[in-house]
Amino acid sequence: MSKKNQQLFEVVYRECYPMVLQMCLGFMKGDQNLANDLSQEVFINIWNALINFKGESTHKTWVYRITVNTCLQYIRKEKKKKKLSLEKIEHTLVDESQALNTDQNQSLYRAIGKLEELDRLIIMMVLEGQDYDNISNVLGIKPTNVRVKIHRIKKRLKKILDHE
């Protein structure tokens, strides 16, 4: 790895870590430990792919794509396992008991976790402050479709939060 790429990685890490962690939290339904692990995995993937970065998009857009792909890959892998171990049951019970003592952010992340994968991605990008054009570039859909999706997602989140 060249000195230039190493410096670029350090810049990308400093600038994008909060965004990556927030997106991972959304995908992992507010589970801080899983989000931290997944964020680390994202930056490993960024490190490995840095040599292939061509600069056709901004670093942030590129990192979004890697983050989304890493999170979706993790979710698919977990779905394939489909094992319900005693550990997972205990973890779920602990999460439910802690849910009574959480703040609004965790309630929001749990609600986001109930959304479909694409909707979770979109709302996490909105929370990160991304504009419609950037979201549309990452997802490959038109900005007008992004606006409609965001409106519908917000309605679903309100309904989920009202029923909690």
Side-chain angles (χ1 to χ4, degrees), residues 8 16 24 33 40 47 63 68 126 132 138 154 161-162 164:
L8 178 59
C16 297
C24 291
N33 291 330
Q40 189 173 26
W47 175 264
V63 169
V68 169
V126 168
Y132 294 143
V138 170
K154 286 179 178 179
L161 289 169
D162 288 345
E164 278 191 354

Side-chain angles (χ1 to χ4, degrees), residues 51-155:
I51 199 164
N52 298 325
F53 180 68
K54 296 174 185 160
E56 294 172 357
S57 63
T58 66
H59 292 113
K60 205 166 190 175
T61 300
W62 182 68
V63 169
Y64 265 118
R65 288 182 182 150
I66 291 175
T67 304
V68 169
N69 289 336
T70 303
C71 290
L72 292 177
Q73 190 175 40
Y74 175 83
I75 290 169
R76 288 183 195 116
K77 190 169 102 178
E78 287 301 304
K79 282 182 181 178
K80 285 182 182 179
K81 289 182 181 178
K82 290 187 182 179
K83 286 193 290 182
L84 191 59
S85 66
L86 179 60
E87 208 174 83
K88 283 185 180 180
I89 293 170
E90 289 172 354
H91 183 67
T92 302
L93 292 175
V94 169
D95 282 351
E96 288 174 0
S97 68
Q98 289 175 344
L100 300 173
N101 301 324
T102 59
D103 60 5
Q104 286 180 324
N105 285 340
Q106 289 203 347
S107 294
L108 177 61
Y109 282 123
R110 275 195 309 278
I112 290 170
K114 294 177 182 177
L115 299 172
E116 298 291 320
E117 289 176 9
L118 180 62
D119 293 347
R120 281 196 307 249
L121 168 64
I122 292 170
I123 201 65
M124 293 309 297
M125 291 177 80
V126 168
L127 289 173
E128 182 60 33
Q130 295 300 308
D131 61 24
Y132 294 143
D133 291 332
N134 193 26
I135 295 171
S136 71
N137 285 338
V138 170
L139 300 177
I141 59 177
K142 295 180 181 179
T144 52
N145 290 356
V146 171
R147 285 184 188 93
V148 171
K149 286 184 176 293
I150 290 171
H151 178 72
R152 290 178 182 161
I153 292 166
K154 286 179 178 179
K155 278 183 159 179

